[in-house]
């Protein structure tokens, strides 16, 4: 049975009050004594559940990038696009900064996030701490605000609505996989309690 890191100092993310952590029971929340913000939450089997959601996300990431995203049909011509096509196209047309940004936000950072999470959580599930696990988890936490696939999805929906009148659009397997990927990454984030991961990483310092 794992414990929340006991007696370590954390700062409230809303008002910066320093707070000593204490072990919680399952589903119990620790709130900031000054502003009432929820500081951490003991979720049952947080690592196992986040692990399963992240593995599922990885499968959908593969499907989203292997299959066509959308196929445009206009006057007998057909153009197949892939998930990474948008960023590459921008890059080739001279919008290099924008191309790199789209590829990072929609492809590279989500991939690094999933792989990094699995690299830390799979061994932790079996009570191991792998090489550079703390650095990896710190990196995953740092890139999380930038792995914004939802924004890309919103852009796709807007483009779809605008183009549907002038061209025939066939939605590919990739698009549905991409939607599933976003859902499973959100589930993984909701299941994972970082403070629990940090506590386990500190407990098993090699
Ligand atoms: Zn507070």
């Amino acid at each position: 049975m794992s414990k929340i890191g006991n007696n370590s100092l954390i700062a409230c993310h809303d008002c910066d009050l320093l707070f000593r952590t204490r072990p919680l029971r399952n589903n119990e929340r620790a709130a900031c004594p000054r502003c009432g913000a929820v500081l951490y939450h003991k979720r049952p089997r947080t690592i196992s559940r986040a692990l399963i959601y992240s593995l599922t996300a990885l499968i959908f990431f593969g499907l989203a990038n292997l299959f066509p995203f959308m196929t445009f049909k206009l006057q007998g011509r057909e153009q197949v696009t892939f998930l990474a096509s948008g960023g590459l196209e921008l890059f080739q047309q001279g919008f290099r900064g924008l191309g790199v940004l789209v590829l990072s936000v929609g492809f590279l950072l989500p991939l690094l996030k999933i792989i990094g999470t699995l690299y830390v959580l799979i061994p932790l599930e079996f009570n191991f701490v792998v090489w550079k696990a703390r650095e990896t988890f710190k990196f995953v936490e740092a890139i999380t605000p930038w792995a914004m696939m939802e924004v890309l999805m919103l852009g796709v929906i807007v483009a779809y609505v605008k183009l549907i009148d002038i061209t025939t659009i066939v939605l590919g397997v990739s698009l549905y996989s991409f939607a599933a990927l976003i859902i499973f990454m959100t589930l993984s984030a909701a299941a994972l309690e970082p403070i629990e991961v940090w506590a386990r990483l500190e407990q098993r310092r090699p």
Side-chain angles (χ1 to χ4, degrees):
M1 187 63 197
S2 58
K3 281 195 294 184
I4 283 281
N6 195 12
N7 221 23
S8 47
L9 270 180
I10 57 166
C12 170
H13 46 73
D14 281 0
C15 73
D16 289 331
L17 180 73
L18 285 179
F19 181 85
R20 281 215 177 270
T21 56
R22 61 186 171 84
L24 299 179
R25 289 185 301 275
N26 272 345
N27 293 319
E28 194 187 353
R29 292 160 193 261
C32 171
R34 182 154 69 190
C35 74
V38 175
L39 298 167
Y40 58 95
H41 182 182
K42 172 83 175 169
R43 296 180 171 97
R45 296 180 295 109
T46 169
I47 291 177
S48 328
R49 288 191 301 130
L51 187 56
I52 289 170
Y53 291 139
S54 293
L55 274 172
T56 315
L58 185 64
I59 294 168
F60 282 116
F61 185 91
L63 294 175
N65 282 285
L66 281 173
F67 289 96
F69 196 68
M70 281 184 185
T71 304
F72 297 93
K73 291 177 183 168
L74 184 64
Q75 294 165 348
R77 281 180 55 194
E78 205 177 276
Q79 180 155 15
V80 180
T81 61
F82 286 83
L83 188 55
S85 305
L88 288 174
E89 186 77 13
L90 281 167
F91 194 81
Q92 279 162 3
Q93 294 198 359
F95 301 100
R96 300 204 162 180
L98 202 58
V100 169
L101 189 70
V102 170
L103 279 176
S104 302
V105 165
F107 179 83
L108 191 63
L109 294 177
L111 180 62
L112 287 176
K113 184 181 161 155
I114 299 172
I115 303 266
T117 304
L118 291 175
Y119 178 76
V120 175
L121 294 192
I122 293 176
L124 213 53
E125 177 71 4
F126 298 100
N127 288 324
F128 287 108
V129 171
V130 277
W131 181 77
K132 297 276 182 203
R134 289 170 198 86
E135 288 81 354
T136 308
F137 196 63
K138 212 171 184 173
F139 175 72
V140 166
E141 288 195 313
I143 63 170
T144 293
W146 294 98
M148 298 179 294
M149 293 171 303
E150 305 87 328
V151 179
L152 202 66
M153 191 67 177
L154 206 64
V156 169
I157 294 170
V158 172
Y160 178 81
V161 171
K162 285 195 163 185
L163 290 172
I164 192 72
D165 288 337
I166 50 170
T167 167
T168 310
I169 304 176
V170 182
L171 304 178
V173 173
S174 163
L175 187 89
Y176 300 111
S177 306
F178 190 60
L181 167 63
I182 293 173
I183 292 169
F184 277 96
M185 284 194 73
T186 308
L187 285 172
S188 170
L192 190 66
E193 192 58 57
I195 197 167
E196 171 98 14
V197 177
W198 281 117
R200 302 262 307 251
L201 288 173
E202 291 305 319
Q203 267 174 22
R204 291 177 177 77
R205 208 166 247 290

